Every structure is written in C-alpha cells, then in structure tokens.
RNA sequence: GGCCCAUUAGUCUAUUGGUUAGGACGUCAGAUUUUCAUUCUGGAAAGAGGGGUUCAAUUCCCCUAUGGGCUACCA
C-alpha cells in the first residue's frame, strides 16, 4: 500500500498568486520533499473567460523566487504531458462519454436564464435528484427532443447525484466529514461551450497523474463529495484529502474572494491592466528565505518554541498532523520581525550585497564609492526589518535636510541662547575647515558637555533627532557638506 | 435561508482529561543608546457562554453565540 507520494499545485491562471495560493504550493512542496515524492505543477485553465495570459508566467516567477521547485509539470517534460488543462480536453471528453454511457451523467437543457428563474422562484433551489425529474433534461425528455437539443448544442452535462445518500470522507486535517447528497446539486461537468469544469478535469487529472494526496484550501471541502462521486463512478481509488485552513485578510474575509484582484497580496510585482498593484512582498524588501519561513507558519507549527527555521528544517519538521484547523489572520508586524532576524543573522556578505545594490540604485550617483556605502550599511543595517528600509535609516548620508524637526524644548533653548549657539556652530565650522581624523572628532565631541548642543548639531545634519552615533555621522559625511548643512540650518533658525 | 467547518491573550500558536495554561509578534515599564532604532530585563494579557459525562475538563458530548467557507455553464 506504500504508494509513492505525489502531490500537485494546480492554480488557475486568473490573477496574481496571492499568499494563500503560495502557502498551498509550499505545503504541497514540503510534503513531497519530506517523503521523497513528486511535486507537480498543473495549470487549470478550463474557464477560458477568466484566464489572464500573464498570470501563468507570474505564477512561475513567484514559485521560482521562493525556490519552490516542481519536478514535473507545466513547461517540463513528464509522463503525463501536457500539464495544462486546456490542452487535455480530448481526454476529459473521453471519460465524460463513459459517465454518460453508464448513466452517471446526463444532458441538461435549461438556459442560464431559466435556471435563474427557478432560483428566484423557489428558495434553495437545487438541481438534483429531488428536482431533475420535473426539469428539461435527457432523463425526462423523449429521445427525439433530446437529440434535437444535443444537435443544437444547447446543453450542459451534469453529474447524476444519488438520492439521500451520505457521503462520508476522512480529511487528514479536519477528520470525518459527512455530507448528504440531497444537499449538493448535479454539478455541471461540461459547459455549453464544450469546455469541462474544474470538478471533472481535476478529478480525471488527479487520477491519471496518480496524485496520492490532494492538499488544497478548505474552501474545497464542500465540493469534495462531488469529486468522491466521480471517483466512485469510475471505480477509482480515492486519494487522501488534506484541506488547509484559510488565510484571512484584515477584514476577515477570504483572501482570494472571487474576482477581487486588489484583495490579493502579490508576492512578486506585476504590471498589467489586470493587476494594479504596486506593492509586493518582494518589492517591499522581504527575503525569499524569510518569506518561506513566514508562510510556512501560516496554518502549521512545529511543536517547538521557535520561530526561525531554515528551509531544510521546515522540510524535516513538516507534518500534516500539525496543521491547524483554525483560519489564519495575517500579522504583518511579525512578518517584518522574522525578516529582520534573517537580515541580521544570516550570511552578512550576502545581505550586504543586496543592500548595496538597493542603495546604489536609489542614490544613482556613480561618484559615491562602494567602500563608503559598505561602511554605511554596516552601521545601519541592524536598524531595519525590510531591505527597502535601508534608505530610511541612511538617507542623511546622501541628501541634505531641508526641513528641521525641532522639539519645543530645543526651540525655547534656541531663543534663549541664540548667541551662544552661533558661537558653538562657528567653532564646529572652524574645526571642520581642515581634514580631521576620527580620533580628533571623538575628542572634540567629548568636549561638548551640554547635551542640547549635541542634539542641535544632530538636527542640523540629519534634520531630526534620529540616526546613528554622531561620531560616525561626523566622520563619514564630507567636511564641506557638514559646513554647508550647518550654514543652511543657521539661516533657517534666523528666519524663525 | 440551507449545508459544512472552526472557536486558547489584539494576532500566530503549545499543552489533547490532573500544568503556577508555555512560547512568539504586538503592547506597557525599566536598563543600554548624548537622540532615534537595535539589544537586554521585567510586567499586563487567554481557554466564547451555558449545560452535561468524570474524583477531575481548555481537552470528551450537547445547546447557544460568534466567525468563516460553500450554496455559479468560477476555481
């Protein structure tokens, strides 16, 4: 019975891959990796109307960024090619015929409008064994009429669900679940435009591709009985079902709710008329390794009081038994904290290069030397959580402050001791007229006994009371610039 | 409305019948930092409510409440 573990991630290319989708992909990947199984990427593009061309590429790019590798599937050669459902329709048609011939599926001739009328007229209208006898389909109409409808292609094909039959299945996360067939409708398997629906295509593919575990979002629990019926009708062995808790957005709703693209949080930046999203986890400055750590903890937790894990450790520890049943709320601050741990604790050379690249791009000034930037990075990087934050903690080395944020008690001090302050700054200007060594600056700084003077100096150079130690600011910023900034600051004070 | 699922601090979670209910983010206080941030130390903070079962229930059962999912010729 020890069948090979084979799992799949089967996104439909209808939009940006959001954090929930990526979590599903990751859990499938982790499970496959842990048990030396196969991880398959299958594109489920059966709904032509909703397909967005760019999204397949987007999904691929996102998985690549996260280093989630699939060893079989779209764009790769494999035993069960092609791995995109729009190119497998002939297969689904073949199996569909079997269902019809065995009386497990039938033609139904109501138009969408007619169905809508039923739905508004009768509360809780369901197209199933309780109602289909009174409706327009191949089970009720005589053969000539049926043939006529089929010839005109005005039909859909529905699954024939049994009457009052309890479908009981065992979910690895949620345990036993029981749903009565009277509650589900005769789902459409094949649309009037001759395309299969998800239910048909995915069950057939999962069987053909020998998928052993179906790991997917909890929203599929209600559809699982339909899938089980199809498996049973074909006399196929059931796969293991593993439903994952949902990831909820701040409002508490499903993160990928219907067609609301803006609700989903993209991982990778993407530009197209369908995605009007400027921000992404990648662009904000999350590191892929940290991000994997973050999403691995969204609905799963190892039994340890630890938060930071390497990818390999996550694979080792990953266990379906530790998946939570409770839906997950995102905690963005914790995401940032985890990312910070990676910035400060992983290979510093690697992180420094990323930061260097970011700063160089931001400054866009080739005169500024790499060694200089590296020094600044070294001094400031323990202050950031996201890569992009490096600018917020180091900008004052590159741009002059224009506005000054002066607290009240210092404003009062300026008014009182105006002439003394002028004298103080003149001394500093004088001091910086000549090149100075770090040691000399340190001695000079130590002579300043009044803290407020130091604070004033900081404000004149940085613009506000933030930033690294004054010694480093004074020794890293060019003397001329220091003097210019002070002069500008003094002018501003006079105006006030 | 119907069906299904969930419910430990603001959030993520550990303990799965006997614990001072543990950890993390956040928050608050203190120390370090001339400032800010970091870092460190410490504090506050939880079993939705009501019934059972049991010597004992956060843990098992029932009801209620709340939240979520599904209820498409979407996936």
């Amino acid at each position: 019975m020890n069948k090979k573990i084979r799992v799949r991630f089967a996104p439909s290319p209808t939009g940006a891959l959001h954090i929930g989708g990526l979590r599903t992909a990751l859990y499938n990947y982790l499970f496959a990796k842990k048990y030396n199984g196969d991880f398959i990427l299958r594109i489920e593009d059966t709904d032509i109307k909703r397909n967005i061309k760019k999204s397949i590429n987007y999904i691929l790019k996102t998985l690549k960024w996260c280093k989630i590798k699939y060893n079989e599937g779209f764009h790769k050669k494999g035993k069960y090619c092609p791995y995109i459902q729009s190119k497998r329709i002939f297969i689904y048609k073949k199996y569909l015929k079997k269902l019809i011939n065995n009386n497990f599926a039938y033609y139904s001739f109501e138009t969408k409008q007619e169905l809508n009328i039923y739905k508004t007229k009768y509360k809780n209208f369901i197209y199933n064994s309780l109602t289909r006898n009174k409706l327009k389909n191949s089970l009720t109409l005589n053969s000539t009429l049926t043939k006529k409808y089929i010839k005109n292609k005005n039909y859909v094909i529905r699954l024939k669900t049994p009457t009052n039959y309890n479908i009981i299945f065992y979910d690895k996360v949620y345990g036993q679940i029981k749903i009565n067939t009277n509650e589900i409708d005769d789902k459409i398997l094949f649309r009037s435009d001759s395309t299969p629906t998800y239910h048909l295509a995915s069950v057939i593919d999962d069987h053909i591709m020998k998928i052993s575990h179906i790991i997917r979002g909890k929203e599929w629990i209600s559809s699982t009985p339909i899938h089980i019926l199809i498996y049973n009708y074909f006399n196929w062995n059931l796969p293991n079902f593993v439903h994952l808790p949902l990831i909820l957005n701040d409002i508490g709703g499903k993160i990928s709710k219907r067609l609301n693209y803006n609700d989903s949080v993209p991982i990778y930046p993407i530009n197209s008329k369908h995605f009007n999203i400027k921000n992404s986890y990648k662009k904000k400055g999350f590191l892929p390794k940290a991000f994997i750590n973050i999403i691995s903890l969204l609905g799963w937790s190892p039994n340890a009081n630890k938060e930071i894990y390497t990818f390999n450790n996550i694979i080792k520890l990953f266990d379906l038994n530790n998946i939570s049943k409770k839906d997950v709320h995102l905690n963005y601050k914790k995401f940032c904290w985890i990312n910070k741990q990676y910035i400060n604790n992983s290979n510093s050379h690697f992180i420094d290069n990323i930061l260097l690249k970011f700063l160089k791009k931001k400054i866009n000034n080739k005169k500024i030397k790499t060694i200089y930037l590296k020094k600044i990075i070294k001094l400031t990087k323990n202050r950031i959580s996201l890569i992009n934050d490096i600018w917020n903690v180091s900008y004052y080395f590159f741009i002059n402050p224009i506005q000054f944020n002066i607290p009240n008690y210092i404003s009062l001090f300026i008014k009182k001791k105006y002439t003394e302050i002028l004298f103080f700054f003149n001394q500093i200007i004088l001091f910086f007229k000549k090149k100075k060594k770090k040691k000399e600056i340190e001695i000079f700084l130590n002579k300043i006994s009044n803290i407020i003077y130091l604070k004033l100096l900081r404000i004149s150079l940085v613009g506000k009371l933030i930033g690294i130690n004054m010694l480093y600011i004074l020794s890293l910023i060019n003397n001329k610039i220091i003097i210019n900034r002070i002069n500008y600051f003094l002018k501003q004070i006079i105006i006030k």
Side-chain angles (χ1 to χ4, degrees):
Chain A
M1 261 317 276
N2 276 335
K3 272 201 307 185
K4 181 158 197 196
I5 299 288
R6 283 174 61 81
V7 292
R8 87 300 200 270
F9 177 52
S12 43
T14 53
L17 223 208
H18 54 80
I19 200 162
L22 192 67
R23 197 268 317 254
T24 304
L26 177 66
Y27 283 17
N28 273 288
Y29 175 80
L30 292 173
F31 187 65
K33 268 276 165 190
K34 167 144 186 171
Y35 295 105
N36 242 328
D38 296 323
F39 176 52
I40 295 141
L41 177 71
R42 188 174 72 219
I43 304 293
E44 308 219 322
D45 59 341
T46 49
D47 187 15
I48 301 159
K49 282 170 236 145
R50 293 207 312 150
N51 285 343
I52 295 167
K53 261 194 172 175
K54 270 197 170 182
S55 8
I56 294 181
N57 202 8
Y58 174 85
I59 291 163
L60 259 28
K61 267 183 159 177
T62 303
L63 293 176
K64 200 177 170 191
W65 182 67
C66 294
K67 298 196 172 62
I68 299 174
K69 292 174 194 154
Y70 54 99
N71 56 328
E72 199 179 309
F74 186 72
H75 270 183
K76 285 197 177 174
K77 282 179 187 169
K79 213 174 167 184
Y80 305 103
C81 266
Y83 291 92
I84 179 160
Q85 290 186 326
S86 56
K87 292 188 179 155
R88 300 171 61 81
I89 291 177
F90 70 99
I91 299 171
Y92 311 129
K93 280 185 179 168
K94 196 178 88 191
Y95 283 98
L96 193 64
K97 229 175 219 171
K98 280 190 193 172
L99 283 179
I100 296 169
N101 290 342
N102 290 325
N103 204 19
F104 291 134
Y106 62 93
Y107 296 88
S108 155
F109 306 118
E110 284 78 12
T111 59
K112 250 185 180 179
Q113 289 81 0
E114 284 172 304
L115 286 173
N116 279 335
I117 290 166
Y118 292 133
K119 277 172 195 163
T120 45
K121 203 169 170 185
Y122 307 102
K123 251 195 255 170
N124 307 334
F125 172 79
I126 300 178
Y127 203 123
N128 69 3
S129 67
L130 307 175
T131 56
R132 65 174 166 248
N133 293 337
K134 294 164 198 155
L135 294 161
K136 218 162 52 172
N137 52 54
S138 59
L139 303 171
T140 57
L141 264 41
N142 63 43
S143 61
T144 45
L145 257 174
T146 298
K147 272 179 192 161
K148 195 184 138 198
Y149 273 116
I150 293 172
K151 206 179 172 187
N152 291 338
K153 299 215 162 180
N154 290 324
Y155 66 85
V156 295
I157 295 168
R158 287 178 184 271
L159 184 73
K160 202 169 156 190
T161 54
T163 313
N164 194 24
Y165 173 72
N166 282 332
I167 295 176
I168 300 166
F169 66 97
Y170 184 82
D171 183 275
K172 288 263 188 221
V173 173
Y174 288 94
Q176 186 175 293
I177 292 169
K178 185 176 89 179
I179 295 171
N180 190 284
T181 51
N182 285 359
E183 306 292 343
I184 54 181
D185 53 20
D186 287 357
K187 275 278 177 261
I188 290 171
L189 301 178
F190 204 72
R191 302 188 191 91
S192 54
D193 66 356
S194 289
T195 57
T197 60
Y198 170 87
H199 303 294
L200 210 228
S202 82
V203 168
I204 291 173
D205 282 348
D206 285 338
H207 175 257
I208 292 176
M209 296 179 183
K210 295 198 162 65
I211 301 300
S212 64
H213 292 72
I214 294 178
I215 304 173
R216 51 154 51 154
K218 188 178 90 170
E219 73 270 27
W220 291 106
I221 285 180
S222 331
S223 313
T224 304
I226 297 153
H227 304 161
I228 289 175
L229 277 177
I230 300 174
Y231 274 99
N232 288 344
Y233 286 163
F234 281 119
N235 221 347
W236 289 339
N237 285 332
L238 247 40
N240 292 290
F241 291 104
V242 184
H243 287 98
L244 269 22
L246 260 24
I247 296 176
L248 305 177
N249 59 28
D250 294 341
I251 313 153
K254 192 182 158 193
I255 209 162
S256 57
K257 190 99 182 171
R258 304 275 152 111
L259 293 169
N260 191 359
Y261 298 120
N262 288 327
D263 210 29
S264 59
V265 185
I267 282 86
Y268 205 92
I270 184 165
N271 284 316
S272 117
K273 61 181 174 181
H274 296 287
F275 308 104
N276 188 18
I277 305 157
K278 283 172 191 148
N279 277 330
S280 76
Y281 285 99
K282 181 177 185 277
K283 220 175 184 182
K284 277 174 185 163
F286 280 92
L287 296 162
K289 280 182 183 175
F291 197 64
I292 288 292
N293 194 151
I294 288 164
I295 55 175
S296 73
L297 261 17
L298 259 27
W300 167 79
S301 81
N303 288 348
N305 290 336
K306 240 179 92 176
E307 322 292 319
I308 308 298
Y309 296 95
T310 62
F311 209 160
N312 282 336
N313 256 327
I314 294 170
I315 291 167
K316 227 181 258 174
L317 292 167
F318 188 74
D319 188 341
L320 295 180
N321 292 324
N322 290 335
I323 290 175
S324 137
K325 295 179 182 178
K326 208 174 135 193
D327 292 343
V328 181
H329 287 84
L330 302 178
N331 186 345
Y332 187 71
K333 282 189 177 171
K334 191 164 184 176
F335 290 7
C336 292
W337 178 82
I338 291 176
N339 204 58
K340 185 181 178 58
Q341 305 312 306
Y342 276 79
I343 288 177
N344 287 318
N345 297 328
S346 44
N347 182 325
S348 70
H349 186 70
F350 172 74
I351 302 291
D352 290 359
N353 272 338
I354 295 173
L355 293 170
L356 186 68
K357 221 172 154 186
F358 181 85
L359 268 188
K360 274 188 176 170
K361 203 176 168 192
K362 183 89 188 178
I363 298 160
N364 198 19
N365 181 351
K366 280 175 187 166
K367 281 179 192 164
I368 295 175
K369 285 179 182 165
T370 303
I371 307 166
Y372 181 67
L373 291 175
K374 277 187 175 170
K375 272 184 194 165
I376 289 165
I377 287 168
K378 202 180 165 193
L379 287 164
T380 54
K381 78 165 184 175
N382 67 334
R383 310 166 83 87
I384 61 169
S385 306
L386 305 174
I387 296 294
N388 300 25
D389 291 343
I390 194 72
W391 176 252
N392 299 336
V393 298
S394 67
Y395 66 89
Y396 49 87
F397 287 104
F398 314 108
I399 55 172
N400 297 332
I402 299 165
Q403 284 181 330
F404 299 93
N405 196 345
I406 308 170
N408 275 337
Y409 70 96
I410 292 181
S411 290
L412 282 172
F413 184 82
I414 294 171
K415 273 178 195 162
K416 258 192 205 167
K417 309 251 178 177
Y418 188 68
T419 43
E420 286 94 329
I421 289 166
L422 275 182
F423 180 72
F424 166 72
F425 276 112
N426 274 328
Q427 269 185 311
I428 292 171
I429 290 170
L430 225 72
F431 178 77
F432 281 105
K433 281 254 159 97
K434 280 183 193 164
K435 264 198 173 174
K436 290 288 185 286
K437 284 179 181 165
K438 198 175 157 192
K439 194 73 198 169
E440 293 174 85
I441 297 171
E442 195 176 0
I443 294 164
F444 183 77
L445 270 177
N446 285 339
K447 278 186 196 158
I448 302 169
S449 52
N450 192 335
I451 292 167
I452 297 189
Y453 281 105
L454 264 168
K455 288 187 177 176
L456 269 169
L457 180 58
R458 180 181 288 279
I459 292 172
S460 73
L461 297 174
V462 177
K464 45 189 162 182
L465 285 171
I466 58 136
I468 62 168
N469 193 299
M470 278 307 290
L471 175 63
Y472 295 108
I473 295 179
L474 288 170
S475 44
L476 280 169
I477 298 177
N478 178 286
N479 284 8
K480 258 189 187 171
I481 294 174
I482 291 177
I483 293 168
N484 283 344
R485 285 189 190 180
I486 290 171
N487 280 329
Y488 179 78
F489 176 67
L490 292 176
K491 260 190 214 164
Q492 295 297 310
I493 299 179
I494 293 168
I495 291 164
K496 278 185 179 173

